[in-house]
Amino acid sequence: MIPAGFDYHRPADIASAIAIIQQHGDEARVIAGGHSLIPMMKLRMADLSHIVDLQAIDGLKGITVSGGTADIGAMVTQNDLITNDDLAAALPILREAALQIADPQVRYVGTVGGNVANGDPGNDMPGLMQCLGATYTLAGPDGSREVAAREFYEAAYFTARDDEEILTRISIPVPAAGTGYAYEKQKRKIGDYATAAAAVLIRVENGTCTEASVAMTNLADTPVWSQEAAAALVGSNLDDNARQAAVRAAVDATEPVADNRGPVAFKKHVAAVILRRAIDRAADRAS
Amino acid sequence: MKDEVQTPEERTANLKGMGSARKRVEDVRFTQGKGNYVDDIKLDGMLFGDFVRSPYAHARVVSVNKEAALALPGVIAVLTAEDLAPLGLHWMPTLAGDKQMVLADGKVLFQGQEVAFVVAEDRYIAADAVELVEVEYDELPVVVDPFKALEPDAPVLREDIAGNMEGAHGPRKHNNHIFTWEQGDKEGTEAVLSEADVVAEEMVYYHRTHPCPLETCGSVASMDKVTGKLTLWGTFQAPHAVRTVASLISGIAEHNIRVISPDIGGGFGNKVGVYPGYVCSIVASIVTGKPVKWVEDRMENLMSTAFARDYWMQGKIAATKEGKITGLWCHTTADHGGFDACADPTKFPAGFMNICTGSYDIPVAYLAVDGVYTNKAPGGVAYRCSFRVTEAAYFIERMIEVLAIKLNMDAAELRRINFISKEQFPYQSALGWEYDSGDYHTAWDKAMKAVDYDGLRAEQAQRLEDFKAGKTRKLMGIGLTHFTEIVGAGPVKNCDILGLGMFDSCEIRIHPTGSAIARLGTISQGQGHATTFAQIIASEIGLPADDITLEEGDTDTAPYGLGTYGSRSTPVAGAATAMAARKIRAKAQMIAAYLLEVHDDDVEFDIDRFVVKGAPERFKSMKEIAFAAYNQAIPGLEPGLEAVSYYDPPNMTYPFGAYICVLDIDVDTGVSDIRSFYALDDCGTRINPMIIEGQVHGGLTEALAIAMGQEIAYDEIGNVKTGTLMDFFIPTAWETPNYQTDWTTTPSPHHPIGAKGVGESPNVGGVPCFSNAVHDAFRPFGLTQSHMPHDHWRVWKTAHDLGLHE
Ligand SMILES: Cc1cc2nc3c(=O)[nH]c(=O)nc-3n(C[C@H](O)[C@H](O)[C@H](O)COP(=O)(O)OP(=O)(O)OC[C@H]3O[C@@H](n4cnc5c(N)ncnc54)[C@H](O)[C@@H]3O)c2cc1C
């Protein structure tokens, strides 16, 4: 549990960080909170000669909510997501989800940027960001570009981000007032990744569901955002049939693998239960 | 004088003696980060060791190439079995009469086995060098199932003893067989089984787990080539035994070895055994002439240092139609891993598994245990229990439940009618023990009343109806356990480890001003000895506990003892403490009589002083007596006031308890929610109620872990699947339920202060209690037995297999 030697860099702005990465190629990696990367280094599964710490870059910090958009810097910690009042008002699902990530010690240091950039299917934020329709800003040697969270994840640890790019900001459209939400997660214990987790948004107008979004975590090698599940809900009055159809659609799209949390049949079953609970809670909260 | 205005109650309170909830004196340094653990030891020029470990569970080691590692700047040495062989240290004796490779000698037998020891100038270089050692392996077929290990064509694991059919504990039946241990009356039991009204039969598996103390194992060895003295700091639960063993295997004279156990961050049995790391740090220090530190990391701790349990217990229990138990039969297949490194008294290869008749008056019983080699890590330590007592308690407490199902009886009532009654003590058990004291019915009735047992059963029945009516998806389970432990090993006549009798010791020195230092042969790893043993002395000799320093763990200063595990400190060293204190009190009596100018028999001890009988205003306080011991020339008495006692206990002690757990199970997700846990413990005389409560909380939490999720799991090719704390369950405050503690007090008749030991009871009783609660929830649907740990997916599977998801 002792990492191999490495050089430590602490650039003060994004351009310098990118320059260091360019200079060292795949020998270099950015580090944010380090709570995913350092364990990999200690296990010597990530062998890196250069660590580029993003802590000192002001341009990666800050949370603003205005004009129907929440803008979150990559270096915002998971704890910041819990304690920020503007976010709590605009996007309470962020707090609900962040509170279910790891433990306070991890959340004080672990960042939202690291969580979404990591590409680990176990991370909770990617599925949540897909549910919310978030957009990531990536800064690279040739400037910035935007990628939708729903387009970002390609396979476990493989994303649309180029090696020389840094994820700088996340922007999330604030759901309409009264939108119901829920983040539901089953885990073995505090500090564990999900056996199954579900993020759900439901908007109801005049008794009919007009908008819905459903995503699930740790049930495939990327998050499972299910348009079919949303489609099953939208237009319905959220009766039992619609909810069941949504659950079926989403769970059908999952491809869990057996691990110490349990075999595939168990995971699929729990995924259905957890998603149903999330839909029920989101529907209850919709007004 | 202040004394004169104090009431006897005030004087007693000042002492903070037995019965006082005195705060733990250890916590001041621990809560301020001022503890001193092995890894805190830093010596000039100290080198660091790290292991190259086998990735395979069973393989031949074809070659070890050290060149690249040795070429790395800062690397001092790379040791392999070949280097240790000339010293005869490539193998070492285990505590169980077997031997174990220190470094792989031609083959490896489990994943994580030590293959080479790298010594470098710093810890980071050592870790880098480990990566550079090239080992060529030839994989061999792996056996992880103890039953398959005994099949006729199973691969031979221990080629070093192949064909040698006489083991340390009698004949071996197979090359992968270690021993058979039989207790009780086989024929008599079989006769009862064949004629019984009812026989319930079940396989009870207690899975492999690990003590996983917060601090992992480690050592610092420092060989002084000038004086010829070796100092060894280490995570040792038995420092004196380590000194003797180190002397025997290294050839260094015992007076030239000083073993020090500094602060220990939890042991739970994990730190009883001798590990290759200790031996390698010693050898490396001898070779280099410099101090060498070795501290394992968490993954190494989980995969290579001693595991616990892994007992397959086939049981049969016979009873009359009315539920009176008539006989008990048990055959255990014990998976010991690649080497038999169990930590048990020599004559007990399966520990005290023969306490498996539990709290019940069972007229005839038979137990056989077969030890088996597999491609898993060695160990089989008593994880917060006295030698296999938790396996025994789990077995009998499951068998009682299985019998209750067969008889269609309430399991509380079944226990009640079979308890050994108060009048039967001292009680001779069918498997050979003499239970010292107990009052099980009183404890049980108190527990039943405290939880409103009938009310709980009524609520459970209602819940079941609601479940069947589709109103809820949660089942309620009520877990019951009445356990009896056997602790305090033990009488030298039948208990020894490597030939060392299992007595223990205490030496007390009273200083002239009336304060004192006491040293014991035990070593605290969190039990709070410095707090409680001072309380024993305070009550016995009448000096305040706050004025008594307590030291353990340094073999150059402490009297010889066998260490701390198996709840033996209070039963054995605690008795020695009381006995040493009584020697001091006897001398103090003579001094007091001299000072008061009366005959020895005319003074009597009174809390903190000796008074003249019938004239309590004439007295000498213990403080005055202490001073007199150093400044008066008393005819016929030597100066000074100190004593030592080596205590050989006449019998074990038998703590017991009644536990009740209530939980709710979500059948759809397999999630269990522990609603309440009531724990009544009877540990005889209670020395410090606050420490007892803390020990019970800790033990119950470890029991929760084991029952509900904690395991060392292997895949079919011997890979450890639970090698980090992500997968190995250690409960946090979040998962830990609220515990309600309670007690009865039935003193041990043979112990000087009547104390029995408590640190392990909650683990022994807790595991079956949690497990029984899970089983109880599913009893109405036909479940009789399922295997721990009851984690989400296994509970879900139980529900699934019972058709509860249809
Ligand atoms: C005990 C424990 C339990 C945990 N449980 C959970 C859990 O339940 N759910 C969960 O979601 N997470 C969990 N985590 C992970 C935790 O949330 C991490 O903090 C998070 O995944 C990564 O954030 P970080 O800031 O620590 O990133 P780092 O570890 O620093 O980085 C992770 C990866 O992302 C890259 N990266 C980081 N920031 C950027 C950026 N701005 N641009 C480009 N690449 C970047 C790094 O190069 C690295 O490859 C747990 C962690 C621990 C230690």
Side-chain angles (χ1 to χ4, degrees), chain B residues 217-257:
Chain B
C217 300
S219 57
V220 177
S222 180
M223 183 74 201
D224 184 327
K225 292 215 165 166
V226 178
T227 62
K229 288 209 183 254
L230 170 71
T231 309
L232 180 65
W233 290 263
T235 47
F236 306 136
Q237 290 182 234
H240 297 274
V242 168
R243 184 186 70 192
T244 303
V245 173
S247 173
L248 290 174
I249 66 178
S250 71
I252 302 171
E254 199 167 356
H255 70 285
N256 277 334
I257 302 177

CSV table of all heavy atoms in Angstrom, one decimal, chain B residues 217-257:
chain,number,residue,atom,x,y,z
B,217,CYS,N,0.0,-6.0,12.4
B,217,CYS,CA,1.1,-6.6,13.1
B,217,CYS,C,2.4,-6.0,12.7
B,217,CYS,O,2.5,-5.6,11.5
B,217,CYS,CB,1.1,-8.1,12.9
B,217,CYS,SG,-0.4,-9.0,13.5
B,218,GLY,N,3.4,-6.0,13.6
B,218,GLY,CA,4.7,-5.5,13.2
B,218,GLY,C,5.7,-5.7,14.3
B,218,GLY,O,5.4,-6.1,15.4
B,219,SER,N,6.9,-5.4,14.0
B,219,SER,CA,8.0,-5.6,14.9
B,219,SER,C,9.2,-4.7,14.6
B,219,SER,O,9.4,-4.3,13.4
B,219,SER,CB,8.5,-7.0,15.0
B,219,SER,OG,8.9,-7.5,13.8
B,220,VAL,N,10.0,-4.4,15.6
B,220,VAL,CA,11.3,-3.7,15.4
B,220,VAL,C,12.3,-4.5,16.1
B,220,VAL,O,12.2,-4.7,17.3
B,220,VAL,CB,11.3,-2.3,15.9
B,220,VAL,CG1,12.7,-1.7,15.7
B,220,VAL,CG2,10.2,-1.4,15.2
B,221,ALA,N,13.3,-5.1,15.4
B,221,ALA,CA,14.3,-5.9,16.1
B,221,ALA,C,15.6,-5.1,16.1
B,221,ALA,O,16.0,-4.4,15.1
B,221,ALA,CB,14.5,-7.2,15.3
B,222,SER,N,16.3,-5.1,17.2
B,222,SER,CA,17.5,-4.3,17.3
B,222,SER,C,18.6,-5.2,18.0
B,222,SER,O,18.5,-5.5,19.2
B,222,SER,CB,17.3,-3.0,18.0
B,222,SER,OG,18.5,-2.3,18.1
B,223,MET,N,19.5,-5.7,17.2
B,223,MET,CA,20.6,-6.6,17.7
B,223,MET,C,21.8,-5.7,18.0
B,223,MET,O,22.3,-5.1,17.1
B,223,MET,CB,20.9,-7.6,16.7
B,223,MET,CG,22.0,-8.6,17.1
B,223,MET,SD,21.2,-9.8,18.3
B,223,MET,CE,22.7,-10.3,19.2
B,224,ASP,N,22.2,-5.6,19.2
B,224,ASP,CA,23.4,-4.8,19.6
B,224,ASP,C,24.5,-5.8,19.6
B,224,ASP,O,24.7,-6.7,20.4
B,224,ASP,CB,23.2,-4.2,21.0
B,224,ASP,CG,24.3,-3.3,21.4
B,224,ASP,OD1,25.5,-3.6,21.0
B,224,ASP,OD2,24.1,-2.4,22.1
B,225,LYS,N,25.4,-5.6,18.6
B,225,LYS,CA,26.5,-6.6,18.4
B,225,LYS,C,27.5,-6.5,19.5
B,225,LYS,O,28.3,-7.4,19.7
B,225,LYS,CB,27.1,-6.5,17.0
B,225,LYS,CG,26.1,-6.9,15.9
B,225,LYS,CD,26.8,-7.5,14.7
B,225,LYS,CE,25.8,-8.2,13.9
B,225,LYS,NZ,26.3,-8.6,12.6
B,226,VAL,N,27.6,-5.3,20.1
B,226,VAL,CA,28.6,-5.1,21.2
B,226,VAL,C,28.2,-5.9,22.4
B,226,VAL,O,28.9,-6.7,23.0
B,226,VAL,CB,28.8,-3.6,21.5
B,226,VAL,CG1,29.8,-3.5,22.6
B,226,VAL,CG2,29.2,-2.9,20.2
B,227,THR,N,26.9,-5.7,22.9
B,227,THR,CA,26.5,-6.4,24.1
B,227,THR,C,25.9,-7.8,23.8
B,227,THR,O,25.7,-8.5,24.8
B,227,THR,CB,25.4,-5.5,24.8
B,227,THR,OG1,24.3,-5.5,23.9
B,227,THR,CG2,25.9,-4.1,25.1
B,228,GLY,N,25.6,-8.0,22.6
B,228,GLY,CA,25.0,-9.3,22.3
B,228,GLY,C,23.6,-9.4,22.6
B,228,GLY,O,23.0,-10.5,22.7
B,229,LYS,N,23.0,-8.2,22.9
B,229,LYS,CA,21.6,-8.2,23.3
B,229,LYS,C,20.6,-7.9,22.2
B,229,LYS,O,20.9,-7.0,21.4
B,229,LYS,CB,21.4,-7.2,24.5
B,229,LYS,CG,22.0,-7.7,25.8
B,229,LYS,CD,21.2,-7.1,27.0
B,229,LYS,CE,21.9,-7.5,28.3
B,229,LYS,NZ,21.2,-8.5,29.0
B,230,LEU,N,19.6,-8.6,22.1
B,230,LEU,CA,18.5,-8.4,21.1
B,230,LEU,C,17.3,-7.7,21.8
B,230,LEU,O,16.8,-8.3,22.8
B,230,LEU,CB,18.1,-9.7,20.5
B,230,LEU,CG,16.9,-9.6,19.6
B,230,LEU,CD1,17.2,-8.9,18.3
B,230,LEU,CD2,16.3,-11.0,19.3
B,231,THR,N,16.9,-6.6,21.3
B,231,THR,CA,15.7,-6.0,21.8
B,231,THR,C,14.6,-6.1,20.7
B,231,THR,O,14.9,-5.8,19.5
B,231,THR,CB,15.9,-4.5,22.2
B,231,THR,OG1,17.0,-4.4,23.1
B,231,THR,CG2,14.7,-3.9,22.9
B,232,LEU,N,13.5,-6.6,21.1
B,232,LEU,CA,12.4,-6.8,20.1
B,232,LEU,C,11.1,-6.1,20.5
B,232,LEU,O,10.6,-6.6,21.5
B,232,LEU,CB,12.2,-8.3,19.9
B,232,LEU,CG,11.2,-8.8,18.9
B,232,LEU,CD1,11.6,-8.4,17.5
B,232,LEU,CD2,11.0,-10.3,19.0
B,233,TRP,N,10.8,-5.1,19.8
B,233,TRP,CA,9.4,-4.5,20.1
B,233,TRP,C,8.5,-5.1,19.1
B,233,TRP,O,8.8,-5.3,17.9
B,233,TRP,CB,9.5,-3.0,19.8
B,233,TRP,CG,10.3,-2.1,20.7
B,233,TRP,CD1,9.8,-1.4,21.7
B,233,TRP,CD2,11.7,-1.9,20.6
B,233,TRP,NE1,10.8,-0.7,22.3
B,233,TRP,CE2,12.0,-1.0,21.7
B,233,TRP,CE3,12.7,-2.3,19.8
B,233,TRP,CZ2,13.3,-0.5,21.9
B,233,TRP,CZ3,14.0,-1.8,20.0
B,233,TRP,CH2,14.3,-0.9,21.1
B,234,GLY,N,7.3,-5.4,19.5
B,234,GLY,CA,6.4,-6.0,18.6
B,234,GLY,C,4.9,-6.0,19.1
B,234,GLY,O,4.7,-5.7,20.3
B,235,THR,N,4.0,-6.3,18.2
B,235,THR,CA,2.6,-6.4,18.5
B,235,THR,C,2.4,-7.8,19.1
B,235,THR,O,1.8,-8.7,18.4
B,235,THR,CB,1.8,-6.2,17.3
B,235,THR,OG1,2.3,-7.0,16.2
B,235,THR,CG2,1.8,-4.7,16.8
B,236,PHE,N,2.8,-8.0,20.3
B,236,PHE,CA,2.7,-9.3,20.9
B,236,PHE,C,1.7,-9.4,22.1
B,236,PHE,O,1.8,-8.6,23.0
B,236,PHE,CB,4.1,-9.7,21.5
B,236,PHE,CG,5.2,-9.6,20.5
B,236,PHE,CD1,6.4,-9.0,20.9
B,236,PHE,CD2,5.1,-10.1,19.2
B,236,PHE,CE1,7.5,-8.9,20.1
B,236,PHE,CE2,6.2,-9.9,18.4
B,236,PHE,CZ,7.4,-9.4,18.8
B,237,GLN,N,0.7,-10.3,22.0
B,237,GLN,CA,-0.2,-10.5,23.0
B,237,GLN,C,0.4,-11.3,24.2
B,237,GLN,O,-0.2,-11.4,25.2
B,237,GLN,CB,-1.5,-11.1,22.5
B,237,GLN,CG,-2.3,-10.2,21.7
B,237,GLN,CD,-3.6,-10.8,21.2
B,237,GLN,OE1,-3.9,-10.8,20.0
B,237,GLN,NE2,-4.5,-11.2,22.1
B,238,ALA,N,1.5,-11.9,23.9
B,238,ALA,CA,2.2,-12.7,24.9
B,238,ALA,C,3.7,-12.5,24.9
B,238,ALA,O,4.5,-13.3,24.4
B,238,ALA,CB,1.9,-14.2,24.7
B,239,PRO,N,4.2,-11.4,25.3
B,239,PRO,CA,5.6,-11.0,25.2
B,239,PRO,C,6.6,-12.0,25.8
B,239,PRO,O,7.6,-12.3,25.2
B,239,PRO,CB,5.7,-9.6,25.8
B,239,PRO,CG,4.5,-9.4,26.6
B,239,PRO,CD,3.4,-10.3,26.0
B,240,HIS,N,6.3,-12.5,27.0
B,240,HIS,CA,7.2,-13.5,27.6
B,240,HIS,C,7.3,-14.7,26.8
B,240,HIS,O,8.4,-15.2,26.6
B,240,HIS,CB,6.7,-13.8,29.0
B,240,HIS,CG,6.7,-12.6,29.9
B,240,HIS,ND1,7.8,-12.1,30.6
B,240,HIS,CD2,5.7,-11.7,30.2
B,240,HIS,CE1,7.5,-11.0,31.3
B,240,HIS,NE2,6.2,-10.8,31.0
B,241,ALA,N,6.2,-15.2,26.3
B,241,ALA,CA,6.3,-16.5,25.5
B,241,ALA,C,7.1,-16.2,24.2
B,241,ALA,O,7.8,-17.0,23.8
B,241,ALA,CB,4.9,-16.9,25.1
B,242,VAL,N,6.9,-15.0,23.7
B,242,VAL,CA,7.7,-14.6,22.5
B,242,VAL,C,9.2,-14.7,22.8
B,242,VAL,O,10.0,-15.2,22.0
B,242,VAL,CB,7.3,-13.3,21.9
B,242,VAL,CG1,8.3,-12.8,20.8
B,242,VAL,CG2,5.9,-13.3,21.3
B,243,ARG,N,9.6,-14.2,24.0
B,243,ARG,CA,11.0,-14.2,24.3
B,243,ARG,C,11.5,-15.6,24.4
B,243,ARG,O,12.6,-15.9,23.9
B,243,ARG,CB,11.2,-13.5,25.7
B,243,ARG,CG,12.7,-13.4,26.1
B,243,ARG,CD,12.9,-12.9,27.5
B,243,ARG,NE,12.4,-13.8,28.5
B,243,ARG,CZ,12.3,-13.5,29.8
B,243,ARG,NH1,12.5,-12.3,30.2
B,243,ARG,NH2,11.9,-14.5,30.6
B,244,THR,N,10.7,-16.5,25.1
B,244,THR,CA,11.2,-17.9,25.2
B,244,THR,C,11.3,-18.5,23.8
B,244,THR,O,12.3,-19.2,23.5
B,244,THR,CB,10.2,-18.6,26.1
B,244,THR,OG1,10.2,-18.0,27.4
B,244,THR,CG2,10.7,-20.1,26.3
B,245,VAL,N,10.3,-18.3,23.0
B,245,VAL,CA,10.3,-19.0,21.7
B,245,VAL,C,11.4,-18.4,20.8
B,245,VAL,O,12.1,-19.1,20.2
B,245,VAL,CB,8.9,-18.7,21.0
B,245,VAL,CG1,9.0,-19.2,19.5
B,245,VAL,CG2,7.8,-19.4,21.7
B,246,ALA,N,11.6,-17.1,20.9
B,246,ALA,CA,12.7,-16.5,20.2
B,246,ALA,C,14.0,-17.0,20.6
B,246,ALA,O,14.9,-17.3,19.7
B,246,ALA,CB,12.7,-14.9,20.3
B,247,SER,N,14.2,-17.3,21.9
B,247,SER,CA,15.4,-17.8,22.4
B,247,SER,C,15.6,-19.3,21.8
B,247,SER,O,16.7,-19.6,21.4
B,247,SER,CB,15.5,-17.8,23.9
B,247,SER,OG,16.6,-18.5,24.4
B,248,LEU,N,14.5,-20.0,21.9
B,248,LEU,CA,14.6,-21.4,21.5
B,248,LEU,C,14.9,-21.6,20.0
B,248,LEU,O,15.7,-22.4,19.6
B,248,LEU,CB,13.3,-22.2,21.9
B,248,LEU,CG,13.1,-22.4,23.4
B,248,LEU,CD1,11.7,-23.0,23.6
B,248,LEU,CD2,14.1,-23.3,24.0
B,249,ILE,N,14.3,-20.7,19.2
B,249,ILE,CA,14.5,-20.9,17.8
B,249,ILE,C,15.7,-20.2,17.2
B,249,ILE,O,16.3,-20.6,16.2
B,249,ILE,CB,13.3,-20.6,16.9
B,249,ILE,CG1,12.8,-19.2,16.9
B,249,ILE,CG2,12.1,-21.5,17.3
B,249,ILE,CD1,11.6,-18.9,16.0
B,250,SER,N,16.2,-19.2,17.9
B,250,SER,CA,17.4,-18.4,17.4
B,250,SER,C,18.7,-18.9,18.1
B,250,SER,O,19.7,-18.6,17.6
B,250,SER,CB,17.2,-16.9,17.6
B,250,SER,OG,17.3,-16.6,19.0
B,251,GLY,N,18.5,-19.5,19.2
B,251,GLY,CA,19.7,-19.9,20.0
B,251,GLY,C,20.3,-18.8,20.8
B,251,GLY,O,21.4,-19.0,21.5
B,252,ILE,N,19.7,-17.6,20.8
B,252,ILE,CA,20.2,-16.5,21.6
B,252,ILE,C,19.7,-16.8,23.0
B,252,ILE,O,18.6,-17.1,23.2
B,252,ILE,CB,19.7,-15.1,21.1
B,252,ILE,CG1,20.1,-14.9,19.7
B,252,ILE,CG2,20.2,-14.0,22.0
B,252,ILE,CD1,19.4,-13.7,19.0
B,253,ALA,N,20.7,-16.7,24.0
B,253,ALA,CA,20.3,-17.0,25.4
B,253,ALA,C,19.1,-16.0,25.8
B,253,ALA,O,19.1,-14.9,25.4
B,253,ALA,CB,21.5,-16.8,26.3
B,254,GLU,N,18.2,-16.6,26.6
B,254,GLU,CA,17.0,-15.9,26.9
B,254,GLU,C,17.3,-14.5,27.7
B,254,GLU,O,16.6,-13.6,27.5
B,254,GLU,CB,16.1,-16.7,27.7
B,254,GLU,CG,14.6,-16.2,27.7
B,254,GLU,CD,13.6,-17.2,28.2
B,254,GLU,OE1,14.0,-18.4,28.5
B,254,GLU,OE2,12.4,-16.9,28.3
B,255,HIS,N,18.4,-14.5,28.5
B,255,HIS,CA,18.6,-13.3,29.2
B,255,HIS,C,19.2,-12.2,28.3
B,255,HIS,O,19.2,-11.0,28.6
B,255,HIS,CB,19.6,-13.5,30.3
B,255,HIS,CG,21.0,-13.8,29.9
B,255,HIS,ND1,21.4,-15.0,29.3
B,255,HIS,CD2,22.1,-13.1,29.8
B,255,HIS,CE1,22.7,-15.0,29.0
B,255,HIS,NE2,23.1,-13.8,29.3
B,256,ASN,N,19.6,-12.6,27.1
B,256,ASN,CA,20.0,-11.6,26.1
B,256,ASN,C,18.9,-11.1,25.2
B,256,ASN,O,19.2,-10.4,24.2
B,256,ASN,CB,21.2,-12.2,25.3
B,256,ASN,CG,22.5,-12.1,26.0
B,256,ASN,OD1,22.7,-11.2,26.9
B,256,ASN,ND2,23.4,-12.9,25.7
B,257,ILE,N,17.7,-11.5,25.5
B,257,ILE,CA,16.6,-11.1,24.6
B,257,ILE,C,15.6,-10.3,25.5
B,257,ILE,O,15.3,-10.7,26.6
B,257,ILE,CB,15.8,-12.2,24.0
B,257,ILE,CG1,16.8,-13.1,23.2
B,257,ILE,CG2,14.7,-11.7,23.2
B,257,ILE,CD1,16.1,-14.3,22.6
